[in-house]
Amino acid sequence: GAGVSQSPSNKVTEKGKDVELRCDPISGHTALYWYRQSLGQGLEFLIYFQGNSAPDKSGLPSDRFSAERTGGSVSTLTIQRTQQEDSAVYLCASSSEDLSTDTQYFGPGTRLTVL
Amino acid sequence: KQEVTQIPAALSVPEGENLVLNCSFTDSAIYNLQWFRQDPGKGLTSLLLIQSSQREQTSGRLNASLDKSSGRSTLYIAASQPGDSATYLCAVRGSYIPTFGRGTSLIVHP
């Protein structure tokens, strides 16, 4: 595709429910990132995938959060037993492997609201 | 640990002014620095990327400079327009995980 896409664009859920957020990166991009942006806050790194390497999960805030990337392309971020503090915009970005020259391309985000 | 600071946090100017947004970082061992724009309710759009070996990049009315030794970057916006209203973020990449500043919220009023 032409850019990074995310779905759904908005998700409203009840506290305690599980949610899945999807990211389709730019074709050919080996690196994929998930970030969280809370109201008035900066971008919080969550998880990083690079090719077939083990993901860097160091940013995940709790064991309720998990993510996978199938076939080196589409990624799903899962939040189990959602809490109100999980309400935020979840952003996905992809880039090529060259750290010096690569640009991060962001998707439009998924706005999650936990009631 | 890399820390990125953006000053000012918010800025409101009349149309036509030339602007300077500042980004400072604590660790000069970086691969690149990137400036993004974020419109309300949207994702981030890349504006300019400056590699560590470069001093500046230009795109239209935008010019970004990088001084690694002092840990500073500036984004210069010439002849500002209401359509430039957005939040501007800088991101420093010293490893595969970039560090973002909290942004400068810009309003350009007619």
Side-chain angles (χ1 to χ4, degrees):
Chain A
V4 179
S5 61
Q6 293 186 244
S7 61
S9 55
N10 282 283
K11 177 71 176 178
V12 180
T13 190
E14 294 180 348
K15 177 181 173 181
K17 301 280 190 180
D18 297 352
V19 295
E20 284 190 353
L21 313 180
R22 176 186 168 106
C23 172
D24 282 89
I26 291 174
S27 177
H29 278 183
T30 57
L32 187 147
Y33 302 76
W34 282 99
Y35 298 92
R36 178 169 71 176
Q37 188 175 38
S38 303
L39 189 64
Q41 302 296 312
L43 263 70
E44 176 187 5
F45 164 76
L46 297 177
I47 189 169
Y48 163 76
F49 294 90
Q50 174 59 273
N52 296 320
S53 303
D56 183 333
K57 306 178 182 180
S58 61
L60 295 179
S62 77
D63 59 7
R64 296 186 295 103
F65 288 71
S66 63
E68 63 177 21
R69 188 178 184 190
T70 54
S73 180
V74 171
S75 177
T76 303
L77 177 69
T78 301
I79 308 173
Q80 296 179 309
R81 305 181 301 282
T82 53
Q83 304 294 312
Q84 288 184 333
E85 60 262 29
D86 299 335
S87 295
V89 176
Y90 290 81
L91 293 166
C92 173
S94 72
S95 68
S96 65
E97 194 171 353
D98 189 330
L99 291 182
S100 64
T101 62
D102 68 349
T103 294
Q104 281 204 320
Y105 295 89
F106 280 78
T110 293
R111 181 175 298 278
L112 174 65
T113 303
V114 182
L115 302 176
Chain B
K1 177 186 174 185
Q2 180 74 270
E3 293 182 4
V4 180
T5 304
Q6 291 191 245
I7 294 173
L11 189 60
S12 180
V13 300
E15 181 177 6
E17 279 204 6
N18 300 323
L19 309 172
V20 175
L21 308 182
N22 297 291
C23 172
S24 61
F25 48 96
T26 55
D27 186 345
S28 62
I30 65 171
Y31 290 104
N32 62 48
L33 183 146
Q34 194 165 2
W35 282 93
F36 294 88
R37 168 187 174 136
Q38 185 175 30
D39 292 285
K42 306 287 187 182
L44 278 67
T45 301
S46 178
L47 297 173
L48 292 164
L49 181 147
I50 311 175
Q51 296 179 39
S52 62
S53 59
Q54 298 174 326
R55 296 300 298 268
E56 66 177 340
Q57 284 286 334
T58 298
S59 176
R61 294 182 295 108
L62 305 180
N63 176 277
S65 67
L66 173 64
D67 184 342
K68 272 203 325 177
S69 61
S70 65
R72 295 178 186 276
S73 176
T74 60
L75 179 66
Y76 177 83
I77 304 176
S80 58
Q81 303 171 358
D84 295 331
S85 299
T87 297
Y88 291 80
L89 297 99
C90 69
V92 175
R93 185 188 289 272
S95 68
Y96 50 79
I97 301 174
T99 303
F100 285 80
R102 295 189 58 172
T104 293
S105 177
L106 172 66
I107 296 176
V108 181
H109 48 87

